Amino acid sequence: MNLTIRKMTEADVPVVAELDKISFSLPWPERSFLFEVTTNPASRCWVAEVDGQVVGMIVAWLFVDEVHIATIATHPDFRRQGIAQKLLIHTLRYTSDEGAVSSFLEVRESNLAAQEMYRKFGYEMTGRRKRYYKDNDEDAILMTLESIQVDK
């Protein structure tokens, strides 16, 4: 598999929004991705490509020394191949170079596969956001990585 990770561009937004739509029950609107790519100074956005096809994406926000993983997704046809892990490694490495020392995220309580992946990176459950997801009132698990340690 010839995987490339690069910055998300405005031209990627329609494909990324479609990927989000097939990945989540509460997808972001296309305009939100456009805002992240063109306007939000805290935003760090990347896509993963295989043979020129966008198969994954991540949006993170860097606030001083903390990076919030806002969303991450892999196309269903490319899951379980380490793409999300590579996107997360890339993001943690990049934001660490910019001064990030810790990270946090929310994940659905039922998304055990994602929670397992985050634990591999050292994220720990540090809280719960009750009824965070409005489609089914599912709780979000707050996970925190206290110290970003990424091999450079």
Side-chain angles (χ1 to χ4, degrees):
M1 177 172 60
N2 186 16
L3 180 74
T4 305
I5 295 176
R6 63 169 175 79
K7 283 190 176 184
M8 189 185 299
T9 68
E10 198 171 333
D12 295 317
V13 167
V15 173
V16 167
E18 191 58 35
L19 172 60
D20 201 54
K21 204 176 292 181
I22 62 175
S23 297
F24 300 112
S25 56
L26 289 173
W28 289 13
E30 192 171 312
R31 71 182 178 278
S32 293
F33 288 105
L34 186 61
F35 171 77
E36 298 301 333
V37 171
T38 62
T39 308
N40 186 354
S43 192
R44 307 295 184 269
C45 309
W46 291 277
V47 294
E49 287 184 326
V50 172
D51 299 324
Q53 176 188 354
V54 172
V55 298
M57 61 84 175
I58 189 168
V59 175
W61 299 315
L62 180 61
F63 303 114
V64 187
D65 63 352
E66 187 172 67
V67 61
H68 180 183
I69 306 303
T71 190
I72 183 171
T74 302
H75 190 283
D77 294 344
F78 291 85
R79 290 187 183 147
R80 295 281 193 207
Q81 297 180 40
I83 293 170
Q85 289 183 49
K86 288 180 174 122
L87 281 164
L88 186 57
I89 288 168
H90 181 85
T91 300
L92 293 174
R93 184 174 289 141
Y94 187 93
T95 56
S96 174
D97 288 347
E98 290 188 289
V101 296
S102 64
S103 176
F104 71 99
L105 56 86
E106 294 92 5
V107 59
R108 282 184 185 267
E109 183 176 40
S110 64
N111 193 344
L112 301 179
Q115 290 175 44
E116 180 182 331
M117 180 188 76
Y118 297 132
R119 277 193 296 276
K120 286 180 188 174
F121 284 86
Y123 284 86
E124 296 179 349
M125 180 181 167
T126 53
R128 177 181 298 270
R129 299 193 195 281
K130 290 285 196 189
R131 296 164 36 172
Y132 184 82
Y133 296 99
K134 297 306 171 202
D135 60 331
N136 64 358
D137 287 333
E138 184 174 3
D139 289 358
I141 302 300
L142 179 61
M143 298 185 80
T144 303
L145 177 61
E146 290 296 333
S147 179
I148 296 174
Q149 301 291 322
V150 182
D151 295 333
K152 304 260 175 177

